[in-house]
Amino acid sequence: MSVSTPAPATAAAPPLVLRNGRLPGSDEIVDTLIVDGRVRRLGYLSQAAAGIRSVDLEERWLIPGLWDNHVHFSQWAQTNQRLDLSGTGSAAAAADLVAGRVPGVSRGETLVGFGFRDGLWPDAPSRPLLDAAAGTVPTVLISGDLHSCWLNSAALARHGHTEHPTGLLREEDCFAVVRTLAEVPDVVMDGWADSAARAAATRGVVGIVDMEMDWNLATWLRRIQGGTDSLRVEFGIYTQHLERAIALGLRSGAGIDGTGGLLTVGSCKVITDGSLNTRTAYCVDEYPGLEGQPGSRGMLTVPPEELLAHLGRAVAAGIRPAVHAIGDRANALALDAFEQLGCAGSIEHAQLLTREDVARFARLGVVASVQPEHALDDRDVADRYWVGRTDRAFVLKSLLNAGVTLALGSDAPVAPLDPWVSIAAAVGRTRGSREPWHAEQAISRQAALAASARGRHRVLAGDVADLAVCEIDPFVASVPDLRRMPVAATLLAGRFTHTTL
């Protein structure tokens, strides 16, 4: 496998002029000349040269193309195939949905559901309850945060957990089950992935960072060479694949030959704690109701010395580290490792932080890769389990004020793969009619756009022509309008991947 400096273009797209566009925050009308996949000129163009295609934007707004900086793409592509549990308010309600779906499950198939959040349920998931609903149909219900799954007896037997008392698997036991569920034929999964990529393009997305727990190089090389060309992909590497990546000479930022600049080596990811909903995020303080019990402060899945070894091995090979840390103690230990190694990288999620560690992010040059929609999904469970500490949760404004680089994402399928949802959550700190949650941590529209577009909040001459065209000015749109932002077109290196123009 050969790697190279990533190419800006996906193909030799012909020159293009986008006429009569506007830039966010301005009523000035501009024309945009794109040549060889780059923006060559912005301003008034008296006429296009012969043979150059011209598209009239009709005074719509031209912005940099958007990235989702943390997704689990195969799982996102599978979501539409699964029973939606996101609206359930109890274990009994989830079981009722399962019972209604069971008659339609073919013999030998597993019924898979996704999206339950049991942190505030009045009843607990149990093996007998799911057995009563699903009977002998193997059933796996995956939590909305991906850190736990609820199985009936038939599924527990299939996945090697026959003696498990409750059927609720957490962390690595859950991850192993989820990986097995992803083992569908490549031709089927790749079709779902292509559809999901095209859908992402309709939302202005030009690139993703794929953190799927897989050997993502082979997966995406196959998909791209099979015709999936709607997105750029940075692929993550997990510690179980690190030696394989090193042996191939992979280095962060390098492009993969044969993909037209679409596929790039990303970071090496290490998961050090769990999640808030499962009460496995590793915290300084005990969780209310769990005082004095084992795991009362959450779960540290990788001890500090092991984390240091993983990161050191990756850094020595030229692979950028990315550390999953949600609880404040897990974040502190991750920053300790970055500091000891003297390297930069990213912390994925960074949901609960001490005030001292906010400043450390900036001093160490560690990117805060955050998912603003999680703040809205988790606000009630945070108010219960991080009571008295939520002023330190999802502190986007504090991080920005400290000089930290933010990278917004969804963690799809935990939240939708739609950067406008993330931008709206970061700007408004609410959805629907609820009051904003810790409105003091809201960030500006310009900052949210930059954190979703690789640091760009406006289009400039010389940029790679990864662009989106909006029907509404994102710098003045209301928060509800941001969330549902209509996107008229998306371009990848000057090639349309979506257009209604």
Side-chain angles (χ1 to χ4, degrees):
M1 176 61 58
S2 58
V3 298
S4 62
T5 301
T10 60
L16 172 69
V17 174
L18 302 176
R19 291 199 173 276
N20 301 316
R22 289 194 279 186
L23 302 180
S26 172
D27 287 330
E28 180 185 2
I29 305 300
V30 298
D31 300 327
T32 305
L33 173 64
I34 299 170
V35 180
D36 294 331
R38 287 191 176 274
V39 175
R40 296 302 180 187
R41 185 177 172 187
L42 280 168
Y44 174 67
L45 301 174
S46 59
Q47 63 181 24
I52 295 182
R53 181 186 179 193
S54 178
V55 175
D56 193 346
L57 300 188
E58 298 178 344
E59 300 188 15
R60 295 177 175 90
W61 283 265
L62 184 68
I63 66 167
L66 304 176
W67 279 73
D68 190 316
N69 291 293
H70 188 129
V71 306
H72 300 269
F73 200 80
S74 291
Q75 292 184 63
W76 171 245
Q78 287 180 294
T79 298
N80 287 338
Q81 320 303 319
R82 294 174 170 174
L83 176 64
D84 182 8
L85 304 172
S86 59
T88 54
S90 66
D96 285 345
L97 287 181
V98 168
R101 178 65 69 89
V102 162
V105 178
S106 299
R107 182 179 180 86
E109 288 188 355
T110 296
L111 193 166
V112 182
F114 175 78
F116 77 85
R117 296 177 184 273
D118 63 328
L120 298 176
W121 279 0
D123 52 354
S126 73
R127 181 172 176 165
L129 179 62
L130 199 53
D131 281 350
T136 60
V137 174
T139 300
V140 178
L141 309 183
I142 304 169
S143 67
D145 60 15
L146 300 177
H147 282 258
S148 65
C149 54
W150 179 18
L151 285 68
N152 71 342
S153 293
L156 287 166
R158 178 170 289 186
H159 292 279
H161 295 279
T162 304
E163 302 303 319
H164 197 279
T166 68
L168 188 67
L169 306 181
R170 298 173 185 248
E171 303 308 326
E172 186 52 46
D173 287 342
C174 169
F175 300 155
V177 171
V178 171
R179 285 194 294 267
T180 299
L181 294 176
E183 294 174 357
V184 300
D186 290 345
V187 66
V188 175
M189 180 63 80
D190 290 353
W192 293 343
D194 187 68
S195 295
R198 294 178 187 278
T202 70
R203 303 302 298 141
V205 179
V206 297
I208 61 167
V209 178
D210 191 8
M211 293 293 190
E212 195 65 80
M213 292 184 188
D214 195 2
W215 177 237
N216 289 305
L217 170 58
T219 298
W220 280 106
L221 190 60
R222 183 185 70 244
R223 289 174 181 169
I224 291 169
Q225 292 182 344
T228 296
D229 63 356
S230 302
L231 301 173
R232 299 190 190 276
V233 178
E234 274 188 16
F235 66 90
I237 300 164
Y238 281 76
T239 52
Q240 62 266 33
H241 301 129
L242 180 56
E243 293 305 318
R244 184 177 182 180
I246 292 172
L248 289 172
L250 301 185
R251 300 176 68 86
S252 294
I256 302 300
D257 286 347
T259 66
L262 288 177
L263 188 60
T264 305
V265 183
S267 300
C268 176
K269 185 180 176 184
V270 184
I271 300 176
T272 64
D273 73 339
S275 69
L276 170 58
N277 180 70
T278 57
R279 280 80 72 202
T280 50
Y282 192 53
C283 297
V284 173
D285 300 297
E286 292 183 299
Y287 286 94
L290 298 180
E291 294 88 351
Q293 300 179 33
S296 62
R297 290 179 168 81
M299 181 183 296
L300 187 67
T301 56
V302 177
E305 61 276 10
E306 189 176 328
L307 174 62
L308 195 65
H310 286 318
L311 299 194
R313 182 72 173 126
V315 169
I319 301 175
R320 182 177 60 248
V323 180
H324 165 116
I326 289 182
D328 51 1
R329 184 59 180 149
N331 275 277
L333 292 173
L335 290 170
D336 287 347
F338 281 115
E339 190 159 18
Q340 290 181 63
L341 290 169
C343 70
S346 66
I347 290 183
E348 305 297 317
H349 310 305
Q351 288 186 6
L352 184 65
L353 303 173
T354 66
R355 291 179 176 82
E356 296 77 15
D357 282 340
V358 169
R360 277 215 292 169
F361 268 87
R363 178 164 56 83
L364 299 174
V366 174
V367 173
S369 177
V370 295
Q371 298 76 41
E373 185 73 351
H374 290 7
L376 309 185
D377 287 332
D378 290 353
R379 61 184 292 178
D380 294 323
V381 74
D383 283 338
R384 176 170 177 179
Y385 291 109
W386 286 346
V387 61
R389 291 171 279 166
T390 55
D391 61 321
R392 298 189 282 111
F394 303 93
V395 288
L396 307 190
K397 184 67 172 292
S398 294
L399 287 162
L400 270 184
N401 287 347
V404 179
T405 297
L406 295 184
L408 302 191
S410 64
D411 201 16
V414 180
L417 200 170
D418 185 342
W420 295 108
V421 169
S422 298
I423 289 170
V427 168
R429 302 285 293 198
T430 189
R431 64 178 176 232
S433 60
R434 297 190 73 175
E435 288 296 311
W437 189 64
H438 289 288
E440 73 278 4
Q441 291 297 336
I443 63 176
S444 71
R445 288 160 174 78
Q446 291 87 341
L449 179 57
S452 300
R454 295 294 164 103
R456 302 190 297 159
H457 70 272
R458 65 182 292 128
V459 178
L460 297 172
D463 287 351
V464 174
D466 292 355
L467 307 168
V469 180
C470 302
E471 300 281 3
I472 304 170
D473 184 347
F475 287 2
V476 299
S478 68
V479 170
D481 280 345
L482 278 176
R483 184 171 284 269
R484 57 178 177 258
M485 175 63 73
V487 176
T490 308
L491 298 93
L492 202 61
R495 171 176 59 86
F496 283 98
T497 55
H498 158 68
T499 182
T500 62
L501 297 174

